Amino acid sequence: MCHLNKAFALPAFPADLQVCTDQRSGEPLDTTKINLPILQHAEEHSQRAASEGACDHKGLRSQALSPPFASLDHTDRGRAADFSPRIQLLSADPRVLHPPHHLSSCDREFGRLCGGVEWARDFGGTLSTMAGRGRGQLTFSVEIVGIGKGENLPPSSVQPTPLFPPLDQKPVPLQAGEEAEYMLALKQEFRGAMKTLPFYIRPAAPKKDVERYSDKYQKIETSDNSLEWKPDWRRFPKELRVREKRPLRDKSPAVPKQPKQPRVDKEEIIRKLETLEQKEEEGSSDEEEGEKKKPEEEEVEGEEEYDEEEFEDETDYIMSYFENGEDFGGDSDDNIDEAIY
Amino acid sequence: MTAQEVRLCGLLLQEHFGDVVEKVGTHLIRSGVLTLRALAHETKLALDLVKKSLCVLVQHGMCTFGPGRRGPAGPVEYRINCERILHMLRYPRYIYTAKSLYGDTGELIIEEILQRGQMTMSSTVKTVADRLTHNMPEGQSMDYSEVVSAFSRLVETHFLQRCPPMASAGSSSSGAVDTSLPVVTQPAEPESNPECYKLPYINLTGQGKRRRSSEDGEDDQRAAKKAKTDNSQCGDEGIYWQVNFLRFHLHFRDQAIISAVSCKLDQTSSEIVRTMLRMSEVTTPAHAAFTQALSANEIFRSLPSNYNIARPILDQYLTLLVDDPMEFVGKTGDSGGGMYVVNLHRALANLARATLESVVQERFGSRSARIFRLLLRKRHLEQKQVEDFAMVPAKEAKDMLYTLLSENLVQLQEVPKTPDYAPSRTFYLYTVNQLPTARLLLQHCYKTIGNLIERRLYETKENKRLLEKSQRIEAILASLQATGAETAQLTEVEEMITAPERQQLESLRHHINKLDSSENQVDETIFLLESYINSTQASR
């Protein structure tokens, strides 16, 4: 069944050219899951016929109305039939579909049963099975949709349409005139004006890799977290308010933080204090847990970092990789920091 | 929200409000309704930035907030209004309309309010007066009263409306509600406020202030402080005004109908239709299918005085309009010399149909357009019938039909002769459904504008260095000219940009202008298709 369906598998279509949608879920149809009744029962018949030999055309028809169809209820068939001609018609358009040339033995049987015999019946036998197979195993006569017999159809395409296809018709020129130009000027002015208004929010400047001395003297971009315009807070939810407490907090950033970091290096302390100062100036409010979490997280990270770092000498040498030859420090089990080799 | 709409909204937010608001906005569009915490967590942005972005979006009316699923005690939930973001495409058109109706003053009022989302009347008047004064020659300044009168006219014709007042949940009777953070709810419709179009009384006298470029900084601060203290004295605290987009859209719709009539028939008939629409402006509700019935006598009396047409000629024109296949005007009765209505929904449908036909014509040629029009009128046709009616040779007709089918502009309908849906015994009929095709084209339009914006951003980015250089040189030139430099110095500075660079800049400017005006034009198509689709939904 699956190889039959692969014959009708659609190539990669551009996303918005979704011709077939599943009626039930509205999603693009996965053709591998199609339950085409005709193909299905033909498959079963072909398998049976392969063992029994060629079966009569009329016999096929009568058997067509037997169990395989009875097993399907009307809605299924109706639904399947809903998309089957569309798919088959897509296959009728050779520019769109490309039935593979190599078909398995099952398909050959199928072609003989449905394609060859039926087509021979419709076209008075002028259309050979080979031509029928070459056009894809269609279950209806393409004459209905207008493809004549033995006609040279354009070759089918196997790739998505090019990104900039050559246009047959040139596009109509744009409207020129005073009104169009004025609106153009208005549009560009509006865009420019919006960039200068306080509503244009720029993300915080990324932290530079190394702190530079000139940072102190250069003007940093707005590190202020509060809005530069004053909304009417009666019309806004209270939770959107960012409190600004710049003048109060300047005095005591360092004092409460010091006792928390007893063991850390001097440089660590200074760095932490600076970042915390900045954070205080940016105006985090006490009630917001989110604010608190960040400096706390940073502190925690700092402490973890500290734990990983070796204190004392700031050398590049890992302290635990100290091979003194003699039993230096090898007897003491207290210092867990050193790895024991 | 379709993928194309979301993409376009993202691009518009990025252009006007920056990357942060874009991120917050697109995430909120995709997720539907979210609380502040959830939004901050999912976008992985700093909480402060998220708050700022939400403030900006609420200020501009693009985001609404309300009590969450857990009732007034739970956290506030935010929802984005996608349509409102897409209206940003049409801002130049709104401003231009205000200019054509109410002059420069009206234009600046609408522009200010669009830039800031919502404003009080007093602050608008002051800002606009200052801007007008800035452009006037020395010694003149714009009086506040003129601006106030322009503002009042805009409000009277409903182009501006009050923002809906807040209903605080703190007044509810449930005592268990934690009143430390009262949830503020927004009512849905601004029109539900009975004072929607009532002008507040403000005592605002004075003139616009001219800003001197030399004392920029101090003056601004002083002016800002003054504005703050003045605000409280003006008497319209808490009354904010926003642009009434619906009214503008009705105006655009009327304009489209009038221009269609004048293209199809002649100037006089379009004047008659314009008169009819003007007379029924205030009496027709926004989503009505036709205007109020007007008698021929009334129309005759209300025609503009420079159109001296005799009464029988007017009757002939009306008969012509009624008989026209576009069905703009219909006759509903015979009293008063004949009762006539303008069929709004039908006119919109016809305009949308004309748009579809013209798209097919320009894309696929006039013969494909002939087939398309044929299918629109005759509904269902077989392959053979299409060839016969369209008078197109079989091979080409088949080719064209398949092209249209692959573009999904034409659909296939099967009609079985036998219950087993045997393909050889089924009719396959080609058909065109106007509404789904209009929706498809609308999505194409959104995608087009998205592509245009992206291409413009790409072009700007490619030539960023050159643009910055030219901006710096212009700044240098301006400062040199202000301090009175010699022409030799000026030419020297100008020559810093070489000739090929100048050419490159010129072509860049040309491309960007073209892309921008294309956006404006595609937006006109979008407006027509959207109005048509909304009209079909309203009538259901």
Side-chain angles (χ1 to χ4, degrees):
Chain A
M1 184 60 173
C2 47
H3 46 257
L4 272 176
N5 279 330
K6 274 204 198 96
F8 290 87
L10 300 171
F13 261 34
D16 40 356
L17 194 69
Q18 291 169 3
V19 184
C20 309
T21 57
D22 191 21
Q23 306 281 356
R24 276 158 289 181
S25 57
E27 287 162 80
L29 200 57
D30 183 10
T31 53
T32 55
K33 294 198 194 98
I34 296 168
N35 196 13
L36 296 170
I38 300 165
L39 291 180
Q40 188 187 33
H41 104 265
E43 154 108 44
E44 293 168 4
H45 269 278
S46 64
Q47 280 168 357
R48 244 179 284 157
S51 49
E52 292 168 1
C55 74
D56 186 18
H57 164 65
K58 290 230 171 48
L60 173 68
R61 279 292 144 209
S62 59
Q63 274 162 23
L65 300 171
S66 69
F69 268 97
S71 63
L72 295 166
D73 60 322
H74 254 283
T75 50
D76 265 348
R77 200 186 327 139
R79 226 182 285 130
D82 249 356
F83 29 75
S84 57
R86 220 173 288 164
I87 294 159
Q88 285 152 11
L89 269 153
L90 284 177
S91 65
D93 180 8
R95 291 175 304 158
V96 172
L97 278 195
H98 174 59
H101 298 294
H102 51 280
L103 298 172
S104 71
S105 60
C106 177
D107 305 321
R108 233 178 293 129
E109 286 300 320
F110 168 61
R112 190 166 57 78
L113 291 171
C114 285
V117 181
E118 188 174 2
W119 287 29
R121 188 172 60 95
D122 277 342
F123 294 97
T126 52
L127 194 58
S128 68
T129 51
M130 281 305 295
R133 196 178 305 127
R135 216 160 284 188
Q137 306 304 310
L138 305 169
T139 57
F140 65 103
S141 66
V142 284
E143 208 175 48
I144 290 181
V145 281
I147 303 180
K149 18 185 200 193
E151 208 181 302
N152 271 342
L153 294 163
S156 46
S157 66
V158 285
Q159 38 186 303
T161 48
L163 205 51
F164 292 107
L167 292 175
D168 299 325
Q169 321 272 334
K170 291 282 171 269
V172 181
L174 290 173
Q175 281 171 9
E178 210 188 298
E179 187 178 327
E181 282 177 21
Y182 194 78
M183 295 229 292
L184 171 68
L186 278 176
K187 188 182 173 83
Q188 290 177 337
E189 268 177 37
F190 194 86
R191 219 171 30 229
M194 287 303 276
K195 288 206 159 61
T196 62
L197 284 177
F199 303 116
Y200 196 89
I201 297 182
R202 292 178 173 84
K207 283 213 174 94
K208 299 199 194 59
D209 48 351
V210 177
E211 281 193 19
R212 308 215 176 244
Y213 176 80
S214 56
D215 280 348
K216 257 202 292 180
Y217 297 101
Q218 265 174 9
K219 185 179 147 211
I220 317 170
E221 274 182 15
T222 57
S223 49
D224 196 49
N225 256 2
S226 65
L227 295 163
E228 282 113 26
W229 50 287
K230 289 261 171 299
D232 185 359
W233 288 112
R234 290 171 293 182
R235 298 179 62 85
F236 283 68
K238 289 246 171 16
E239 61 180 9
L240 290 183
R241 197 158 186 168
V242 179
R243 297 219 203 281
E244 186 193 333
K245 287 193 184 154
R246 184 194 288 251
L248 299 173
R249 287 292 182 100
D250 263 336
K251 294 178 194 166
S252 59
V255 175
K257 302 297 172 191
Q258 278 247 302
K260 285 190 186 171
Q261 304 163 4
R263 290 185 298 152
V264 183
D265 231 0
K266 271 186 205 168
E267 293 186 0
E268 289 282 331
I269 290 178
I270 292 170
R271 216 168 288 154
K272 287 265 168 35
L273 289 179
E274 275 178 3
T275 50
L276 283 169
E277 251 182 297
Q278 277 179 4
K279 279 237 171 331
E280 299 294 345
E281 279 171 9
E282 284 164 1
S284 55
S285 69
D286 272 338
E287 292 132 33
E288 299 301 322
E289 299 166 356
E291 304 301 319
K292 274 243 154 176
K293 269 192 195 142
K294 261 191 241 130
E296 285 172 358
E297 278 171 9
E298 274 197 347
E299 281 177 53
V300 169
E301 278 172 18
E303 288 173 355
E304 284 174 5
E305 273 173 2
Y306 159 67
D307 282 336
E308 288 162 14
E309 259 182 7
E310 304 298 321
F311 43 98
E312 265 135 22
D313 275 355
E314 284 175 7
T315 57
D316 285 336
Y317 300 103
I318 307 176
M319 280 316 200
S320 57
Y321 198 66
F322 178 62
E323 288 188 317
N324 204 17
E326 324 273 320
D327 303 292
F328 178 86
D331 299 334
S332 68
D333 291 317
D334 300 323
N335 202 354
I336 343 167
D337 277 344
E338 296 180 0
I340 299 169
Y341 290 100
Chain B
M1 280 301 120
T2 66
Q4 297 302 332
E5 286 177 32
V6 175
R7 172 181 170 230
L8 184 54
C9 287
L11 286 168
L12 286 171
L13 286 175
Q14 185 185 17
E15 272 207 317
H16 291 105
F17 299 119
D19 290 321
V20 178
V21 179
E22 185 249 330
K23 220 169 166 186
V24 168
T26 38
H27 190 82
L28 204 47
I29 297 175
R30 288 207 172 99
S31 334
V33 192
L34 279 180
T35 60
L36 175 62
R37 294 235 167 266
L39 189 56
H41 175 70
E42 285 175 29
T43 50
K44 300 188 178 25
L45 288 170
L47 193 65
D48 276 347
L49 284 177
V50 175
K51 285 187 196 174
K52 278 206 252 187
S53 324
L54 283 174
C55 281
V56 168
L57 288 171
V58 170
Q59 168 77 9
H60 280 81
M62 293 169 192
C63 175
T64 54
F65 56 90
R69 277 160 287 192
R70 295 199 218 130
V76 179
E77 285 188 344
Y78 299 91
R79 187 179 287 116
I80 287 260
N81 187 359
C82 235
E83 268 181 19
R84 185 66 184 77
I85 302 181
L86 292 174
H87 287 166
M88 278 208 274
L89 283 170
R90 223 164 279 153
Y91 279 4
R93 203 167 167 194
Y94 298 139
I95 301 174
Y96 184 74
T97 309
K99 181 190 174 80
S100 58
L101 291 175
Y102 297 107
D104 284 339
T105 322
E107 174 195 4
L108 284 183
I109 292 176
I110 296 284
E111 191 178 340
E112 278 298 315
I113 298 187
L114 282 175
Q115 275 178 2
R116 298 197 177 251
Q118 0 170 314
M119 282 177 93
T120 56
M121 183 166 166
S122 39
S123 50
T124 319
V125 167
K126 282 188 210 138
T127 329
V128 169
D130 288 343
R131 274 181 77 173
L132 284 169
T133 312
H134 192 68
N135 292 336
M136 283 166 131
E138 278 285 341
Q140 290 182 20
S141 64
M142 176 60 99
D143 201 35
Y144 281 175
S145 55
E146 284 183 45
V147 185
V148 167
S149 68
F151 195 98
S152 329
R153 266 179 290 148
L154 277 168
V155 171
E156 275 159 18
T157 45
H158 295 253
F159 283 108
L160 287 177
Q161 63 186 178
R162 282 201 201 188
C163 297
M166 289 290 134
S168 163
S171 57
S172 67
S173 54
S174 57
V177 172
D178 182 20
T179 49
S180 64
L181 286 169
V183 170
V184 180
T185 55
Q186 271 181 336
E189 289 299 312
E191 297 260 327
S192 56
N193 175 16
E195 297 188 340
C196 191
Y197 300 109
K198 187 165 149 211
L199 279 168
Y201 174 69
I202 55 171
N203 52 346
L204 188 65
T205 49
Q207 294 181 331
K209 294 164 197 35
R210 186 181 296 276
R211 194 177 51 171
R212 311 249 168 245
S213 49
S214 51
E215 337 167 310
D216 250 0
E218 296 173 9
D219 229 358
D220 272 350
Q221 280 183 16
R222 259 185 276 140
K225 280 191 195 149
K226 228 182 165 188
K228 276 185 217 160
T229 50
D230 278 351
N231 230 353
S232 50
Q233 299 164 2
C234 277
D236 69 339
E237 271 295 293
I239 301 175
Y240 293 91
W241 297 87
Q242 66 186 13
V243 172
N244 184 3
F245 294 104
L246 190 57
R247 180 70 182 87
F248 272 106
H249 293 167
L250 295 178
H251 181 87
F252 295 157
R253 178 199 68 187
D254 293 346
Q255 266 185 335
I257 295 178
I258 293 168
S259 65
V261 171
S262 90
C263 283
K264 185 118 200 273
L265 300 175
D266 73 338
Q267 181 72 9
T268 318
S269 0
S270 78
E271 280 305 316
I272 296 174
V273 175
R274 190 200 299 267
T275 314
M276 289 175 74
L277 284 169
R278 200 171 13 97
M279 284 162 65
S280 45
E281 236 171 25
V282 282
T283 50
T284 312
H287 299 291
F290 358 84
T291 60
Q292 296 280 64
L294 300 163
S295 69
N297 297 333
E298 285 175 348
I299 300 173
F300 184 64
R301 273 196 300 266
S302 320
L303 275 178
S305 44
N306 47 345
Y307 269 91
N308 296 338
I309 54 176
R311 181 58 201 274
I313 312 253
L314 170 72
D315 287 335
Q316 280 181 355
Y317 267 113
L318 283 170
T319 323
L320 254 180
L321 280 166
V322 168
D323 288 336
D324 190 69
M326 290 289 262
E327 288 183 339
F328 288 118
V329 174
K331 187 166 184 182
T332 56
D334 289 313
S335 60
M339 302 292 279
Y340 296 92
V341 287
V342 178
N343 296 321
L344 297 165
H345 283 196
R346 217 168 297 168
L348 278 174
N350 286 331
L351 286 172
R353 184 167 48 86
T355 312
L356 297 181
E357 289 170 7
S358 117
V359 166
V360 172
Q361 177 161 344
E362 295 304 330
R363 262 275 175 93
F364 302 107
S366 51
R367 292 208 279 184
S368 300
R370 201 188 315 156
I371 293 179
F372 188 80
R373 275 196 290 265
L374 187 68
L375 286 171
L376 265 177
R377 274 163 184 74
K378 296 256 182 188
R379 305 302 190 94
H380 295 272
L381 287 175
E382 269 188 336
Q383 166 82 32
K384 192 84 182 42
Q385 289 173 307
V386 169
E387 290 162 19
D388 291 338
F389 281 127
M391 292 181 286
V392 175
K395 213 191 259 188
E396 293 172 33
K398 171 195 63 184
D399 199 23
M400 289 172 192
L401 272 172
Y402 282 147
T403 320
L404 289 174
L405 189 65
S406 70
E407 298 281 338
N408 226 355
L409 292 162
V410 157
Q411 281 88 44
L412 210 52
Q413 170 73 44
E414 61 181 53
V415 176
K417 289 189 231 184
T418 53
D420 67 351
Y421 278 80
S424 61
R425 291 191 289 271
T426 317
F427 288 116
Y428 291 99
L429 303 173
Y430 291 97
T431 182
V432 176
N433 296 323
Q434 190 170 331
L435 186 56
T437 315
R439 284 186 203 269
L440 172 76
L441 262 187
L442 185 61
Q443 295 306 314
H444 280 332
C445 286
Y446 288 139
K447 184 174 180 183
T448 308
I449 296 203
N451 289 347
L452 285 169
I453 294 180
E454 286 209 8
R455 180 72 199 189
R456 177 161 49 81
L457 292 174
Y458 170 78
E459 296 260 331
T460 319
K461 201 167 65 147
E462 285 284 295
N463 296 293
K464 202 164 87 151
R465 191 197 68 85
L466 195 56
L467 277 171
E468 277 173 7
K469 178 175 174 185
S470 80
Q471 274 170 4
R472 264 197 314 246
I473 293 191
E474 273 174 31
I476 294 174
L477 272 176
S479 65
L480 275 181
Q481 271 175 346
T483 57
E486 308 156 355
T487 39
Q489 275 182 319
L490 291 176
T491 42
E492 202 182 309
V493 171
E494 275 172 11
E495 276 168 17
M496 280 167 64
I497 305 187
T498 62
E501 278 182 349
R502 238 179 253 280
Q503 232 176 12
Q504 206 180 341
L505 267 177
E506 193 48 49
S507 78
L508 171 70
R509 204 160 294 152
H510 178 71
H511 289 159
I512 291 191
N513 285 349
K514 241 195 159 105
L515 291 168
D516 268 329
S517 15
S518 316
E519 283 174 38
N520 285 340
Q521 267 199 256
V522 178
D523 178 65
E524 289 180 15
T525 314
I526 285 184
F527 171 72
L528 263 179
L529 293 174
E530 264 181 3
S531 310
Y532 164 59
I533 293 172
N534 289 341
S535 74
T536 53
Q537 283 177 337
S539 53
R540 245 178 251 146

